[in-house]
Amino acid sequence: MVTPTQLEEWLREVEERPLSGVVIVRLVIQRLKTLTERNEELLSENIQLRSGNRVEEYEKRIANLEYQLNLLRRQFGDLPAGSTLPTPPQVGINLLFYTPTGKVLRMVMPTEAFVSGEKLINFSAESWQATPKTVRILAVTDQEEILFVFNTGRATTLAVSVIPISASPDWTNAYSVDPHASEDLAVAYPVARMTLFDSCVQVSGRGCAKKMMRSAFESHLSKSFIGAGVKQAQDKTACLTLCNAGESLALATREGYLLALPVNSLPYTIEEVIKLSSTDYIVSAFSPAKKTSLAIITQQGKVVHREMGWLETAASFKSHGQAILSPARREAGTRLVGAAALEDKDWLIALHQDGIITAHRAADLFASGAIPHAADLVDVTTLDGKLLSTTRQEV
């Protein structure tokens, strides 16, 4: 702040050395500019406070923080200061089946039911006949929060515990997330641990991607809209994945290509990040993180095992990726149903075309190279082995 004493000193300086006047004038002008800018900022904040805009912004921030805190409490409970985050004990694993029409079927399986290679659930012929052709599966815990994204870009979150449990695989008891008119449910994704990640990447079936930093992603969720994430009208969101800076994003396509891209290079606006043929599309998107193995699954149940180092990071968005299927197998009709990063104690849950769901420990799949079941696969999902080992001793 310019004081009267300082002004008197400047006047004496100018009288004694007139050439100093130019420098002093410049200092005064710079100071006045700074004060003017600050005055405009304060005026703007005052207007926002009077209009309620600033209060509304702070209320949204508080609501968002409370939402994140509730998510963490649901995951870990109330922890003493300085304690580490434990894996919550599980008495059962929730299997969610969902369809484009917004129907969600929830079944809880006891951890003892997970025997590698054995059947978990068997839809009856009548119930499976009533199952929509496009059905996907997700394995989650009771504490999880599910983000449902529709092809319009609308999004809604729902705690798993809110969805009624079905005693049998019967779609008449399914929960509905109520899509709006002409709207399809595109993907369901667990987001309870989103506060532990830097960003969320949205990937479309035709290989377009958009990275949302955590603050932006949280803002989108508060508005129940994350965007369609597409460039073509016939395209729609296929996958979401949480990731951190410095990691990579792995994409697997139906026709057997895998591409890894550095998360840091992913665009904040919708861009095509992988070259696809006119008949190809994305079936899986995930961040390998610290997992050491890669499992690629075909619709016939063949499991291709690769060390994570096999997956090379692409230098640009103009690549088709690495081929996992030979041209002969591709021409014969072999296709991928999914790919995932796994450790030996992790599990893969498979949904078959005859309505049977089987569970497989990753180590067994790596050893055998196949999912032992006659019917082709509809979808697969993964389960962290730690969620089972908290309540039982793995053998």
Side-chain angles (χ1 to χ4, degrees), residues 11-91:
L11 288 173
R12 285 196 298 271
E13 175 72 18
V14 171
E15 290 174 354
E16 295 173 2
R17 285 178 288 188
L19 293 178
S20 303
V22 176
V23 176
I24 292 173
V25 169
R26 286 177 180 170
L27 291 172
V28 172
I29 292 174
Q30 185 61 44
R31 182 58 179 163
L32 288 174
K33 285 176 63 178
T34 301
L35 291 173
T36 301
E37 290 172 358
R38 180 57 180 158
N39 184 57
E40 290 176 353
E41 290 176 3
L42 292 172
L43 180 61
S44 176
E45 288 187 6
N46 188 43
I47 292 172
Q48 289 180 338
L49 284 169
R50 287 186 176 182
S51 65
N53 291 346
R54 183 67 69 184
V55 174
E56 183 179 350
E57 179 186 337
Y58 289 152
E59 287 176 345
K60 287 181 178 179
R61 289 184 184 179
I62 292 170
N64 185 47
L65 289 171
E66 288 176 343
Y67 171 70
Q68 294 179 39
L69 182 59
N70 287 333
L71 288 182
L72 291 174
R73 279 177 175 165
R74 192 181 306 154
Q75 287 277 305
F76 307 111
D78 291 312
L79 299 175
S83 60
T84 57
L85 296 180
T87 302
Q90 298 298 316
V91 295

Coordinates of all heavy atoms in Angstrom, one line a residue, residues 11-91:
L11 N 8.7 12.3 -3.9 CA 8.8 13.7 -4.3 C 10.2 14.2 -4.1 O 10.7 14.9 -5.0 CB 7.8 14.6 -3.6 CG 6.3 14.4 -3.9 CD1 5.4 15.1 -3.0 CD2 6.1 14.8 -5.4
R12 N 10.8 13.9 -3.0 CA 12.2 14.4 -2.7 C 13.1 13.7 -3.7 O 14.1 14.3 -4.2 CB 12.6 14.0 -1.3 CG 12.0 14.9 -0.2 CD 12.7 14.8 1.1 NE 12.6 13.4 1.6 CZ 11.6 13.0 2.4 NH1 10.7 13.8 2.8 NH2 11.6 11.8 2.8
E13 N 12.9 12.4 -4.1 CA 13.7 11.7 -5.0 C 13.7 12.4 -6.4 O 14.7 12.6 -7.1 CB 13.2 10.3 -5.2 CG 14.0 9.4 -6.2 CD 15.4 9.1 -5.8 OE1 15.7 9.2 -4.6 OE2 16.2 8.7 -6.7
V14 N 12.4 12.8 -6.8 CA 12.3 13.5 -8.1 C 13.0 14.9 -8.1 O 13.6 15.3 -9.1 CB 10.8 13.6 -8.5 CG1 10.6 14.5 -9.7 CG2 10.2 12.3 -8.7
E15 N 12.9 15.6 -7.0 CA 13.5 16.9 -6.9 C 15.0 16.8 -7.0 O 15.7 17.6 -7.6 CB 13.1 17.6 -5.6 CG 11.7 18.1 -5.6 CD 11.3 18.6 -4.2 OE1 12.1 18.5 -3.3 OE2 10.1 19.1 -4.1
E16 N 15.6 15.8 -6.3 CA 17.0 15.6 -6.3 C 17.6 15.0 -7.6 O 18.6 15.4 -8.1 CB 17.4 14.7 -5.1 CG 17.1 15.4 -3.7 CD 17.4 14.4 -2.6 OE1 17.9 13.3 -2.9 OE2 17.1 14.8 -1.4
R17 N 16.8 14.0 -8.1 CA 17.2 13.3 -9.4 C 16.0 13.2 -10.3 O 15.2 12.2 -10.3 CB 17.8 11.9 -9.1 CG 19.2 12.0 -8.4 CD 19.7 10.6 -8.1 NE 19.0 10.1 -6.9 CZ 19.3 9.0 -6.3 NH1 20.4 8.3 -6.7 NH2 18.6 8.6 -5.2
P18 N 15.8 14.2 -11.1 CA 14.6 14.3 -12.0 C 14.4 13.0 -12.9 O 13.3 12.7 -13.2 CB 14.9 15.5 -12.8 CG 15.8 16.4 -12.0 CD 16.6 15.4 -11.3
L19 N 15.5 12.4 -13.3 CA 15.4 11.2 -14.1 C 14.7 10.0 -13.4 O 14.2 9.1 -14.1 CB 16.8 10.8 -14.6 CG 17.5 11.8 -15.6 CD1 18.9 11.2 -16.0 CD2 16.7 12.0 -16.8
S20 N 14.7 10.1 -12.1 CA 14.0 9.0 -11.4 C 12.5 9.0 -11.5 O 11.8 8.1 -11.2 CB 14.4 9.0 -9.9 OG 15.7 9.0 -9.7
G21 N 12.0 10.2 -12.0 CA 10.5 10.3 -12.1 C 9.9 9.3 -13.0 O 8.8 8.8 -12.7
V22 N 10.5 9.0 -14.1 CA 10.0 8.0 -15.0 C 9.8 6.6 -14.4 O 8.7 6.0 -14.5 CB 10.9 7.8 -16.3 CG1 10.3 6.8 -17.2 CG2 10.9 9.2 -17.0
V23 N 10.8 6.2 -13.6 CA 10.7 4.9 -12.9 C 9.6 4.9 -11.9 O 8.8 4.0 -11.8 CB 12.1 4.6 -12.3 CG1 12.0 3.3 -11.5 CG2 13.2 4.5 -13.3
I24 N 9.5 6.0 -11.1 CA 8.5 6.1 -10.1 C 7.1 6.1 -10.7 O 6.2 5.4 -10.2 CB 8.7 7.4 -9.3 CG1 10.0 7.3 -8.4 CG2 7.5 7.6 -8.3 CD1 10.4 8.5 -7.7
V25 N 6.9 6.8 -11.8 CA 5.6 6.8 -12.5 C 5.2 5.4 -12.9 O 4.1 5.0 -12.8 CB 5.6 7.8 -13.7 CG1 4.3 7.6 -14.5 CG2 5.7 9.2 -13.2
R26 N 6.2 4.7 -13.5 CA 5.9 3.3 -13.9 C 5.5 2.4 -12.7 O 4.6 1.6 -12.8 CB 7.2 2.7 -14.5 CG 7.4 3.2 -15.9 CD 8.7 2.7 -16.5 NE 9.0 3.2 -17.8 CZ 10.2 3.0 -18.4 NH1 11.2 2.3 -17.8 NH2 10.3 3.4 -19.7
L27 N 6.2 2.6 -11.6 CA 5.8 1.8 -10.4 C 4.4 2.2 -9.9 O 3.6 1.3 -9.5 CB 6.8 2.1 -9.2 CG 8.2 1.6 -9.4 CD1 9.1 2.1 -8.3 CD2 8.2 0.1 -9.4
V28 N 4.0 3.4 -10.0 CA 2.7 3.9 -9.5 C 1.6 3.3 -10.5 O 0.6 2.8 -10.0 CB 2.6 5.4 -9.5 CG1 1.2 5.8 -9.3 CG2 3.5 5.9 -8.4
I29 N 1.9 3.3 -11.8 CA 0.9 2.8 -12.8 C 0.7 1.3 -12.6 O -0.4 0.8 -12.6 CB 1.4 3.1 -14.2 CG1 1.4 4.6 -14.5 CG2 0.6 2.3 -15.2 CD1 2.0 5.0 -15.8
Q30 N 1.8 0.6 -12.4 CA 1.7 -0.9 -12.1 C 0.9 -1.2 -10.9 O 0.1 -2.1 -10.9 CB 3.1 -1.5 -12.0 CG 3.2 -3.0 -11.9 CD 2.5 -3.7 -13.2 OE1 2.8 -3.3 -14.3 NE2 1.7 -4.7 -12.9
R31 N 1.2 -0.4 -9.8 CA 0.5 -0.6 -8.6 C -1.0 -0.3 -8.8 O -1.9 -1.0 -8.3 CB 1.0 0.3 -7.5 CG 0.4 0.1 -6.1 CD 0.5 -1.3 -5.7 NE -0.1 -1.4 -4.3 CZ -0.5 -2.6 -3.8 NH1 -0.3 -3.7 -4.5 NH2 -1.0 -2.7 -2.6
L32 N -1.3 0.7 -9.5 CA -2.8 1.1 -9.8 C -3.5 0.0 -10.6 O -4.6 -0.3 -10.3 CB -2.8 2.4 -10.5 CG -2.5 3.7 -9.7 CD1 -2.5 4.9 -10.5 CD2 -3.5 3.8 -8.5
K33 N -2.7 -0.6 -11.5 CA -3.3 -1.7 -12.3 C -3.6 -2.9 -11.5 O -4.7 -3.5 -11.6 CB -2.3 -2.1 -13.5 CG -2.3 -1.1 -14.6 CD -1.2 -1.5 -15.6 CE -1.5 -2.8 -16.3 NZ -0.5 -3.2 -17.3
T34 N -2.7 -3.2 -10.6 CA -2.9 -4.3 -9.7 C -4.1 -4.1 -8.8 O -4.9 -5.0 -8.6 CB -1.6 -4.6 -8.8 OG1 -0.5 -4.8 -9.7 CG2 -1.8 -5.8 -7.9
L35 N -4.2 -2.9 -8.2 CA -5.3 -2.5 -7.4 C -6.6 -2.6 -8.1 O -7.7 -3.0 -7.6 CB -5.1 -1.2 -6.7 CG -4.0 -1.1 -5.7 CD1 -3.7 0.4 -5.3 CD2 -4.3 -1.9 -4.5
T36 N -6.6 -2.1 -9.4 CA -7.9 -2.1 -10.2 C -8.3 -3.6 -10.4 O -9.5 -3.9 -10.3 CB -7.6 -1.4 -11.5 OG1 -7.2 -0.1 -11.3 CG2 -8.9 -1.4 -12.4
E37 N -7.4 -4.4 -10.8 CA -7.7 -5.8 -11.0 C -8.3 -6.5 -9.8 O -9.3 -7.2 -9.8 CB -6.5 -6.6 -11.5 CG -6.0 -6.2 -12.9 CD -4.7 -6.8 -13.3 OE1 -4.1 -7.5 -12.5 OE2 -4.2 -6.6 -14.4
R38 N -7.6 -6.2 -8.6 CA -8.1 -6.8 -7.4 C -9.5 -6.2 -7.0 O -10.4 -7.0 -6.6 CB -7.1 -6.5 -6.3 CG -7.5 -7.0 -4.9 CD -7.8 -8.5 -5.0 NE -8.1 -9.1 -3.7 CZ -8.8 -10.2 -3.5 NH1 -9.1 -10.9 -4.6 NH2 -9.1 -10.6 -2.3
N39 N -9.7 -5.0 -7.3 CA -11.0 -4.4 -7.0 C -12.1 -5.0 -7.9 O -13.2 -5.3 -7.4 CB -10.9 -2.9 -7.3 CG -12.2 -2.2 -6.9 OD1 -12.7 -2.2 -5.8 ND2 -12.8 -1.5 -7.9
E40 N -11.8 -5.3 -9.2 CA -12.8 -6.0 -10.0 C -13.1 -7.4 -9.5 O -14.2 -7.9 -9.6 CB -12.2 -6.0 -11.5 CG -12.2 -4.7 -12.1 CD -11.6 -4.7 -13.5 OE1 -11.1 -5.8 -13.9 OE2 -11.6 -3.7 -14.2
E41 N -12.0 -8.1 -9.1 CA -12.2 -9.4 -8.5 C -13.2 -9.4 -7.3 O -14.1 -10.2 -7.2 CB -10.9 -10.1 -8.1 CG -10.0 -10.4 -9.3 CD -8.7 -11.0 -8.8 OE1 -8.5 -11.1 -7.6 OE2 -7.8 -11.3 -9.7
L42 N -12.9 -8.4 -6.4 CA -13.7 -8.3 -5.2 C -15.1 -7.9 -5.6 O -16.1 -8.4 -4.9 CB -13.1 -7.3 -4.2 CG -11.8 -7.7 -3.6 CD1 -11.2 -6.5 -2.8 CD2 -12.0 -8.9 -2.7
L43 N -15.3 -7.1 -6.5 CA -16.6 -6.7 -7.0 C -17.4 -7.8 -7.5 O -18.6 -8.0 -7.3 CB -16.5 -5.5 -8.0 CG -17.8 -5.0 -8.6 CD1 -18.7 -4.4 -7.5 CD2 -17.6 -4.0 -9.7
S44 N -16.7 -8.7 -8.4 CA -17.3 -9.8 -8.9 C -17.8 -10.8 -7.9 O -18.9 -11.4 -7.9 CB -16.4 -10.5 -9.9 OG -16.9 -11.7 -10.4
E45 N -16.9 -11.0 -6.9 CA -17.2 -11.9 -5.8 C -18.4 -11.4 -5.0 O -19.2 -12.2 -4.5 CB -16.0 -12.2 -4.9 CG -14.9 -13.0 -5.5 CD -13.8 -13.3 -4.5 OE1 -14.0 -13.0 -3.3 OE2 -12.8 -14.0 -4.9
N46 N -18.4 -10.1 -4.8 CA -19.5 -9.5 -4.0 C -20.8 -9.7 -4.7 O -21.9 -10.0 -4.1 CB -19.2 -8.0 -3.8 CG -20.2 -7.3 -2.9 OD1 -20.6 -7.9 -1.8 ND2 -20.7 -6.1 -3.2
I47 N -20.8 -9.5 -6.1 CA -22.0 -9.7 -6.9 C -22.5 -11.2 -6.8 O -23.7 -11.4 -6.6 CB -21.7 -9.3 -8.4 CG1 -21.5 -7.8 -8.5 CG2 -22.9 -9.8 -9.3 CD1 -21.1 -7.4 -9.9
Q48 N -21.5 -12.1 -6.9 CA -21.9 -13.5 -6.8 C -22.4 -13.9 -5.4 O -23.4 -14.7 -5.3 CB -20.6 -14.4 -7.1 CG -20.2 -14.3 -8.6 CD -19.0 -15.2 -8.8 OE1 -18.2 -15.5 -7.9 NE2 -18.9 -15.6 -10.1
L49 N -21.9 -13.3 -4.4 CA -22.4 -13.5 -3.0 C -23.8 -13.0 -2.9 O -24.7 -13.6 -2.3 CB -21.4 -12.9 -2.0 CG -20.1 -13.6 -1.7 CD1 -19.2 -12.8 -0.9 CD2 -20.4 -15.0 -1.1
R50 N -24.0 -11.8 -3.4 CA -25.3 -11.2 -3.3 C -26.4 -12.0 -4.1 O -27.5 -12.1 -3.7 CB -25.3 -9.7 -3.8 CG -24.6 -8.8 -2.8 CD -24.7 -7.4 -3.2 NE -24.1 -6.5 -2.3 CZ -24.1 -5.1 -2.4 NH1 -24.7 -4.6 -3.4 NH2 -23.5 -4.4 -1.5
S51 N -26.0 -12.5 -5.3 CA -26.9 -13.2 -6.1 C -27.1 -14.6 -5.7 O -28.0 -15.3 -6.1 CB -26.4 -13.2 -7.6 OG -25.2 -13.9 -7.7
G52 N -26.2 -15.1 -4.8 CA -26.3 -16.5 -4.3 C -25.5 -17.5 -5.1 O -25.5 -18.7 -4.7
N53 N -24.9 -17.0 -6.2 CA -24.1 -18.0 -7.0 C -22.9 -18.6 -6.3 O -22.7 -19.8 -6.4 CB -23.5 -17.2 -8.3 CG -24.6 -16.9 -9.2 OD1 -25.8 -17.4 -9.1 ND2 -24.4 -16.0 -10.2
R54 N -22.2 -17.7 -5.5 CA -21.1 -18.3 -4.8 C -21.5 -19.2 -3.7 O -20.9 -20.3 -3.5 CB -20.3 -17.1 -4.1 CG -19.0 -17.5 -3.4 CD -18.0 -18.1 -4.3 NE -17.4 -17.0 -5.2 CZ -16.6 -17.2 -6.2 NH1 -16.2 -18.5 -6.4 NH2 -16.1 -16.3 -6.9
V55 N -22.6 -18.9 -3.0 CA -23.1 -19.8 -2.0 C -23.5 -21.1 -2.6 O -23.3 -22.2 -2.1 CB -24.3 -19.1 -1.3 CG1 -25.0 -20.1 -0.3 CG2 -23.9 -17.9 -0.5
E56 N -24.2 -21.1 -3.8 CA -24.6 -22.3 -4.5 C -23.4 -23.1 -4.9 O -23.4 -24.4 -4.7 CB -25.4 -21.9 -5.7 CG -25.9 -23.1 -6.5 CD -26.7 -22.7 -7.7 OE1 -27.0 -21.5 -7.9 OE2 -27.0 -23.6 -8.5
E57 N -22.3 -22.5 -5.3 CA -21.1 -23.2 -5.7 C -20.5 -23.9 -4.4 O -20.1 -25.1 -4.5 CB -20.0 -22.2 -6.2 CG -18.7 -22.9 -6.6 CD -17.7 -21.9 -7.1 OE1 -18.1 -20.8 -7.5 OE2 -16.5 -22.2 -7.0
Y58 N -20.4 -23.2 -3.3 CA -19.9 -23.8 -2.1 C -20.8 -24.9 -1.6 O -20.3 -26.0 -1.1 CB -19.8 -22.7 -1.0 CG -18.7 -21.7 -1.2 CD1 -18.8 -20.4 -0.7 CD2 -17.5 -22.0 -2.0 CE1 -17.8 -19.5 -0.9 CE2 -16.5 -21.1 -2.2 CZ -16.6 -19.8 -1.6 OH -15.7 -18.9 -1.9
E59 N -22.1 -24.8 -1.7 CA -23.0 -25.8 -1.3 C -22.8 -27.1 -2.2 O -22.8 -28.2 -1.7 CB -24.4 -25.4 -1.4 CG -24.8 -24.4 -0.4 CD -26.2 -23.9 -0.6 OE1 -26.8 -24.0 -1.7 OE2 -26.8 -23.3 0.4
K60 N -22.5 -26.9 -3.5 CA -22.3 -28.0 -4.4 C -21.0 -28.7 -4.0 O -20.9 -30.0 -4.0 CB -22.2 -27.6 -5.8 CG -23.5 -27.2 -6.4 CD -23.4 -26.8 -7.9 CE -24.7 -26.5 -8.5 NZ -24.6 -26.0 -9.9
R61 N -19.9 -27.9 -3.6 CA -18.7 -28.5 -3.2 C -18.8 -29.3 -1.9 O -18.3 -30.4 -1.8 CB -17.6 -27.4 -3.0 CG -17.1 -26.7 -4.3 CD -16.0 -25.7 -3.9 NE -15.6 -25.0 -5.1 CZ -14.7 -24.1 -5.1 NH1 -14.1 -23.7 -3.9 NH2 -14.4 -23.4 -6.2
I62 N -19.6 -28.8 -1.0 CA -19.8 -29.5 0.3 C -20.6 -30.8 0.0 O -20.3 -31.8 0.6 CB -20.6 -28.6 1.3 CG1 -19.6 -27.4 1.7 CG2 -21.0 -29.4 2.5 CD1 -20.4 -26.3 2.5
A63 N -21.6 -30.7 -0.8 CA -22.4 -31.9 -1.1 C -21.6 -33.0 -1.8 O -21.7 -34.2 -1.5 CB -23.6 -31.5 -2.0
N64 N -20.7 -32.5 -2.6 CA -19.8 -33.5 -3.3 C -18.8 -34.2 -2.3 O -18.6 -35.4 -2.4 CB -19.0 -32.8 -4.4 CG -18.2 -33.7 -5.3 OD1 -18.7 -34.8 -5.7 ND2 -17.0 -33.4 -5.5
L65 N -18.3 -33.4 -1.4 CA -17.4 -33.9 -0.4 C -18.1 -34.9 0.5 O -17.6 -36.0 0.9 CB -16.7 -32.8 0.4 CG -15.7 -32.0 -0.4 CD1 -15.3 -30.8 0.5 CD2 -14.5 -32.8 -0.7
E66 N -19.3 -34.6 0.9 CA -20.1 -35.5 1.7 C -20.4 -36.8 1.0 O -20.4 -37.8 1.6 CB -21.4 -34.8 2.1 CG -21.2 -33.6 3.1 CD -22.5 -32.9 3.4 OE1 -23.5 -33.1 2.7 OE2 -22.6 -32.2 4.5
Y67 N -20.7 -36.7 -0.3 CA -21.0 -37.9 -1.2 C -19.7 -38.8 -1.2 O -19.8 -40.0 -1.0 CB -21.3 -37.4 -2.6 CG -21.4 -38.5 -3.6 CD1 -22.5 -39.5 -3.5 CD2 -20.5 -38.7 -4.6 CE1 -22.6 -40.5 -4.4 CE2 -20.6 -39.7 -5.5 CZ -21.6 -40.6 -5.4 OH -21.7 -41.6 -6.4
Q68 N -18.5 -38.2 -1.4 CA -17.3 -39.0 -1.4 C -17.0 -39.6 -0.1 O -16.6 -40.8 0.0 CB -16.1 -38.1 -1.8 CG -16.2 -37.6 -3.2 CD -15.0 -36.7 -3.6 OE1 -13.9 -36.9 -3.1 NE2 -15.3 -35.6 -4.3
L69 N -17.3 -38.8 1.0 CA -17.1 -39.4 2.4 C -18.0 -40.6 2.6 O -17.6 -41.6 3.2 CB -17.3 -38.3 3.4 CG -17.1 -38.7 4.9 CD1 -15.7 -39.1 5.1 CD2 -17.4 -37.5 5.8
N70 N -19.3 -40.5 2.2 CA -20.2 -41.6 2.4 C -19.8 -42.8 1.6 O -19.9 -43.9 2.1 CB -21.6 -41.1 1.9 CG -22.3 -40.2 2.9 OD1 -21.9 -40.2 4.1 ND2 -23.2 -39.4 2.4
L71 N -19.2 -42.6 0.4 CA -18.7 -43.7 -0.4 C -17.6 -44.4 0.3 O -17.5 -45.7 0.4 CB -18.2 -43.2 -1.7 CG -19.2 -42.8 -2.8 CD1 -18.5 -42.4 -4.1 CD2 -20.2 -43.9 -3.1
L72 N -16.6 -43.6 0.9 CA -15.5 -44.2 1.6 C -16.0 -44.9 2.9 O -15.5 -46.0 3.3 CB -14.5 -43.2 1.9 CG -13.7 -42.6 0.7 CD1 -12.8 -41.5 1.1 CD2 -12.9 -43.7 0.1
R73 N -17.0 -44.3 3.6 CA -17.5 -45.0 4.8 C -18.1 -46.3 4.5 O -18.0 -47.3 5.2 CB -18.5 -44.0 5.5 CG -17.8 -43.0 6.3 CD -18.9 -42.0 6.9 NE -18.3 -41.1 7.8 CZ -18.9 -40.0 8.2 NH1 -20.2 -39.7 7.8 NH2 -18.3 -39.1 9.1
R74 N -18.9 -46.3 3.3 CA -19.5 -47.5 2.9 C -18.5 -48.6 2.6 O -18.7 -49.8 2.8 CB -20.4 -47.3 1.7 CG -21.3 -48.4 1.4 CD -22.1 -48.1 0.1 NE -22.8 -46.8 0.3 CZ -23.2 -46.1 -0.7 NH1 -22.9 -46.4 -2.0 NH2 -23.8 -44.9 -0.5
Q75 N -17.3 -48.2 2.1 CA -16.3 -49.1 1.7 C -15.5 -49.6 2.9 O -15.2 -50.8 3.0 CB -15.3 -48.4 0.8 CG -15.8 -48.2 -0.7 CD -15.6 -49.5 -1.5 OE1 -14.5 -50.0 -1.6 NE2 -16.7 -49.9 -2.1
F76 N -15.2 -48.7 3.8 CA -14.2 -49.0 4.9 C -14.8 -48.8 6.3 O -14.1 -49.2 7.3 CB -12.9 -48.2 4.7 CG -12.3 -48.4 3.4 CD1 -12.3 -47.3 2.5 CD2 -11.8 -49.6 3.0 CE1 -11.8 -47.4 1.2 CE2 -11.2 -49.7 1.7 CZ -11.2 -48.6 0.8
G77 N -15.9 -48.2 6.5 CA -16.4 -47.9 7.8 C -15.7 -46.6 8.4 O -14.9 -46.0 7.7
D78 N -16.0 -46.3 9.6 CA -15.4 -45.1 10.2 C -14.0 -45.6 10.8 O -14.0 -46.4 11.7 CB -16.3 -44.5 11.3 CG -17.5 -43.9 10.7 OD1 -17.3 -43.1 9.8 OD2 -18.6 -44.1 11.2
L79 N -12.9 -45.0 10.3 CA -11.6 -45.5 10.8 C -11.0 -44.5 11.7 O -11.1 -43.3 11.6 CB -10.7 -45.6 9.5 CG -11.2 -46.6 8.5 CD1 -10.2 -46.5 7.3 CD2 -11.2 -48.0 9.0
P80 N -10.2 -45.0 12.7 CA -9.5 -44.1 13.6 C -8.4 -43.4 12.8 O -7.9 -43.8 11.8 CB -8.8 -45.1 14.6 CG -9.6 -46.4 14.5 CD -10.1 -46.4 13.1
A81 N -8.0 -42.2 13.3 CA -7.0 -41.4 12.6 C -5.7 -42.1 12.5 O -5.3 -42.8 13.5 CB -6.8 -40.1 13.4
G82 N -5.1 -42.1 11.3 CA -3.8 -42.7 11.1 C -3.9 -44.2 10.8 O -2.9 -44.8 10.5
S83 N -5.1 -44.8 10.7 CA -5.2 -46.2 10.4 C -5.2 -46.4 8.9 O -5.5 -45.5 8.1 CB -6.5 -46.8 11.0 OG -7.6 -46.1 10.5
T84 N -4.8 -47.6 8.5 CA -4.8 -47.9 7.0 C -6.2 -48.4 6.6 O -7.0 -48.8 7.4 CB -3.8 -49.0 6.7 OG1 -4.1 -50.2 7.5 CG2 -2.4 -48.5 7.1
L85 N -6.4 -48.4 5.3 CA -7.7 -48.8 4.7 C -7.7 -50.3 4.5 O -6.9 -50.8 3.7 CB -7.9 -48.1 3.4 CG -8.0 -46.6 3.4 CD1 -8.2 -46.1 2.0 CD2 -9.1 -46.1 4.3
P86 N -8.5 -51.0 5.2 CA -8.5 -52.5 5.1 C -9.5 -52.9 4.0 O -10.3 -52.1 3.5 CB -9.1 -53.0 6.4 CG -10.0 -51.8 6.8 CD -9.4 -50.6 6.3
T87 N -9.4 -54.1 3.5 CA -10.4 -54.7 2.6 C -11.6 -55.2 3.5 O -11.4 -56.0 4.4 CB -9.8 -55.9 1.8 OG1 -8.7 -55.4 1.1 CG2 -10.8 -56.4 0.8
P88 N -12.8 -54.7 3.2 CA -13.9 -55.0 4.1 C -14.2 -56.5 3.9 O -14.2 -57.1 2.8 CB -15.0 -54.2 3.6 CG -14.7 -53.8 2.2 CD -13.2 -53.7 2.2
P89 N -14.5 -57.2 5.0 CA -14.9 -58.6 4.9 C -16.2 -58.8 4.1 O -17.1 -58.0 4.2 CB -15.1 -59.0 6.4 CG -15.4 -57.8 7.1 CD -14.7 -56.7 6.4
Q90 N -16.3 -59.9 3.4 CA -17.4 -60.1 2.6 C -18.1 -61.4 3.0 O -17.4 -62.5 3.2 CB -17.0 -60.2 1.1 CG -16.4 -59.0 0.5 CD -17.4 -57.8 0.6 OE1 -18.5 -58.0 0.2 NE2 -16.9 -56.7 1.0
V91 N -19.4 -61.5 3.1 CA -20.1 -62.7 3.3 C -20.7 -63.2 2.0 O -21.2 -64.3 1.9 CB -21.3 -62.5 4.3 CG1 -20.7 -62.1 5.7 CG2 -22.2 -61.4 3.8

